[in-house]
Amino acid sequence: MAERKPSKSKYTTDRQIPGAFEGETVTRRRFMTGSSQVVGAVAAGAFVLPAVGFALGPVFEEKDQPWQPVGRLNEFGKDTYVPRTITIEPSIADAGLSTVYVRQYNPSVDKEPRDEYNAYVAISTACMHLGCPIHFVTAAQRFICPCHGGVYDFVGKVVGGPPVRPLDRFYTRVAAGTVFIGPRFSVNSELQRFSPRDPGEPLDGVGQYLYPSRPTMRKLPGT
Amino acid sequence: MAKIKVPAPPVPGALAPTPKRPGKEYGPQTPVEHGHEGASTAIGWIDERTSLSGGARWMMFRKVPKGTNWFYTLGSATMFAFLSQAVTGVVLAMYYVPSANGAYNSIRHINNDVFLGEFVHGMHRWGSSVMVILVFLHMGRTFFFGAYKYPRELNWVIGVALLILTMTMSFTGYLLPFDQRSYWASVVGVNINGTGPLVGPYLSDFLRAGPDFGATTLSRFYAIHMLAVPGAIAALIGFHLYLVARLGTTAPPWIRAKTPDALREDKVRA
């Protein structure tokens, strides 16, 4: 098939464009179009990028997780949980408080190795289905979630309902006869420690890779 | 475009325009005539400078297919539900305080003290459910009448985007009263977001503005609820309506185009 248009030289001087320079290949019209598009993109980027960064910033922010005292050593037994209130989020007053269930490490039920952070076991009250507040029913020795029927046994492992992993825990440590509650961590069904995850995110199998933890919130080094 | 004759609306006899009598002076005489003259002058002034009347006529005086019925009003009903949400939302924002410590009290103030406060709040609250129901009815009408088919696929896609935005409005609006129900419902909702693999955890961190519900979570939901999403919905409704006017509406499936007898398949074959 014959070419419909005669092929044009890439040099503007050959194309008889008025005012063309020797060796010039980009017409002034094309240069003007391109440069105004670049200027427009820079102007749009100048407000879009800061706005996006501003909205996404909190995702990468460090969160302060101070150790909080919850009571004297003798307030917590081996065989039942004692509820204590800690501050999860100080900026919203009462709405930022949360209950944790605390008891002593009990060798007859706790199989995970002893270390400096689990002389006392502190269980988070966020249900691992979707985050509703669970409570401990002493008669049944079970944690029960009121929202969708999640049930956990005495150590927080799932025994019924929709939750995808055992209840989260908090690091604890003992200083000057007082129990302190520290950062939260998540556990898989073997009760191995993982960096904290949100509810609804399983940690068995590939779960820990499908649901990455926050880059700024990790489990304590060496645990 | 062909000139369209606008049918005269029925008016009481006293207001109907009368033919000019011989010997009467030129120009408007009665107050009604002065009113007509003033209005048409003002509209003419705007139209001369904008040429909007052509577009308005194109939008409003369209041909509709035979068989058009009440089901075709569901889209407009949805739009009016949105407008009602917009208006009541703007006036609620005059009293609402989007802070973790002030939100619940400001809602209580609206419900208990403000004149018509409980009514307007109730309109907004129940209206949101009405809007979601109407969106689905409208979607069902479109589906069962086959109105999503060529050339209207893009309008279906825009409609789905509008459905998702409506859901976003319901989700972000639910937190705003900041009582126990809305707080825990939003915790659950954000955690459902988080169950999406790979992006889920970052999405819920974005929604909460951090790892936990905090003071900025509420303002974030508020900004999404009253600034980001309503603008997007309004713009998409505009485009949705443009496409409706551009492509026209479909006849109901039970209306058949009349084929001339001579062109019927069996007659042509014979």
Side-chain angles (χ1 to χ4, degrees):
Chain A
M1 198 171 108
E3 248 182 286
R4 272 197 258 166
K5 277 189 200 165
S7 66
K8 274 196 262 177
S9 163
K10 66 173 181 169
Y11 292 106
T12 49
T13 40
D14 294 349
R15 286 189 267 154
Q16 314 292 315
I17 292 173
F21 289 109
E22 187 64 39
E24 186 189 63
T25 53
V26 178
T27 62
R28 289 169 195 198
R29 181 184 296 259
R30 254 189 81 195
F31 179 76
M32 191 63 200
T33 310
S35 50
S36 42
Q37 279 165 349
V38 167
V39 170
V42 168
F47 63 81
V48 169
L49 291 180
V52 169
F54 183 82
L56 291 181
V59 177
F60 305 100
E61 236 164 53
E62 292 267 0
K63 188 174 155 70
D64 198 25
Q65 296 170 284
W67 290 86
Q68 305 175 41
V70 289
R72 312 293 300 169
L73 296 184
N74 56 11
E75 292 174 33
F76 308 103
K78 272 187 166 61
D79 300 320
T80 192
Y81 285 97
V82 178
R84 284 288 183 265
T85 306
I86 61 166
T87 302
I88 298 282
E89 176 57 54
S91 62
I92 50 172
D94 285 358
L97 303 180
S98 181
T99 308
V100 288
Y101 283 109
V102 188
R103 65 171 166 86
Q104 265 185 52
Y105 185 92
N106 184 346
S108 62
V109 291
D110 294 319
K111 300 301 173 212
E112 62 273 21
R114 289 288 300 263
D115 64 11
E116 55 182 315
Y117 296 117
N118 64 2
Y120 287 78
V121 175
I123 303 250
S124 154
T125 49
C127 179
M128 286 301 118
H129 174 219
L130 290 171
C132 285
I134 52 116
H135 62 279
F136 185 66
V137 180
T138 319
Q141 297 284 291
R142 294 273 193 273
F143 293 96
I144 312 276
C145 178
C147 288
H148 313 106
V151 183
Y152 307 82
D153 68 7
F154 187 71
V155 295
K157 285 185 182 175
V158 182
V159 290
V164 294
R165 63 170 200 258
L167 289 168
D168 279 359
R169 297 179 171 207
F170 290 86
Y171 290 104
T172 59
R173 73 180 180 199
V174 175
T178 305
V179 180
F180 285 84
I181 302 265
R184 179 172 64 92
F185 62 90
S186 297
V187 290
N188 67 1
S189 55
E190 311 290 317
L191 296 184
Q192 285 165 326
R193 286 175 179 144
F194 285 87
S195 299
R197 304 297 208 281
D198 280 341
E201 302 173 358
L203 279 174
D204 293 316
V206 292
Q208 57 167 315
Y209 306 110
L210 286 181
Y211 300 102
S213 69
R214 282 169 65 84
T216 53
M217 272 180 89
R218 299 283 192 211
K219 59 179 178 177
L220 294 182
T223 58
Chain B
M1 182 193 261
K3 199 164 182 180
I4 299 162
K5 197 163 185 227
V6 182
V11 287
L15 296 177
T18 46
K20 204 203 276 262
R21 291 184 179 282
K24 209 173 155 193
E25 272 185 51
Y26 181 75
Q29 304 296 319
T30 64
V32 173
E33 283 171 358
H34 275 290
H36 275 283
E37 185 77 10
S40 62
T41 307
I43 291 171
W45 189 91
I46 292 170
D47 193 42
E48 198 179 341
R49 284 152 184 82
T50 59
S51 300
L52 276 178
S53 67
R57 223 178 294 141
W58 175 80
M59 188 79 203
M60 288 188 289
F61 301 104
R62 302 193 306 270
K63 293 203 167 86
V64 294
K66 221 172 232 161
T68 297
N69 55 50
W70 279 100
F71 289 115
Y72 287 76
T73 60
L74 286 167
S76 308
T78 314
M79 188 184 72
F80 278 98
F82 171 71
L83 292 177
S84 153
Q85 294 301 96
V87 170
T88 52
V90 166
V91 292
L92 282 170
M94 294 175 180
Y95 292 96
Y96 179 70
V97 180
S99 87
N101 299 320
Y104 180 65
N105 278 330
S106 70
I107 292 283
R108 248 191 359 196
H109 174 64
I110 289 171
N111 284 346
N112 297 346
D113 310 327
V114 178
F115 176 65
L116 287 181
E118 197 175 11
F119 180 67
V120 172
H121 182 201
M123 278 171 73
H124 198 75
R125 183 216 174 124
W126 296 106
S128 70
S129 301
V130 170
M131 184 172 165
V132 171
I133 291 166
L134 285 172
V135 164
F136 276 110
L137 290 177
H138 177 53
M139 199 177 189
R141 200 284 296 172
T142 309
F143 180 77
F144 287 115
F145 283 24
Y148 56 87
K149 293 176 187 172
Y150 176 86
R152 302 186 180 81
E153 303 98 320
L154 183 60
N155 227 9
W156 175 269
V157 171
I158 295 169
V160 171
L162 281 165
L163 168 71
I164 294 168
L165 288 172
T166 308
M167 294 296 182
T168 313
M169 288 299 273
S170 302
F171 176 60
T172 50
Y174 207 88
L175 177 67
L176 302 186
F178 219 60
D179 52 18
Q180 286 287 337
R181 186 209 301 254
S182 60
Y183 178 87
W184 289 108
S186 303
V187 168
V188 167
V190 169
N191 284 327
I192 292 174
N193 273 300
T195 58
L198 301 177
V199 290
Y202 299 104
L203 187 62
S204 36
D205 271 10
F206 164 74
L207 282 171
R208 275 184 310 234
D212 294 295
F213 260 69
T216 42
T217 310
L218 183 61
S219 13
R220 189 164 280 240
F221 272 53
Y222 186 57
I224 294 172
H225 184 76
M226 73 171 290
L227 297 172
V229 179
I233 289 185
L236 284 181
I237 286 180
F239 196 41
H240 203 68
L241 279 178
Y242 165 75
L243 284 183
V244 168
R246 175 88 180 76
L247 304 170
T249 52
T250 42
W254 55 80
I255 300 284
R256 296 255 170 265
K258 280 219 176 77
T259 319
D261 217 35
L263 291 179
R264 280 188 187 283
E265 200 179 9
D266 44 343
K267 303 257 169 165
V268 171
R269 287 238 177 105

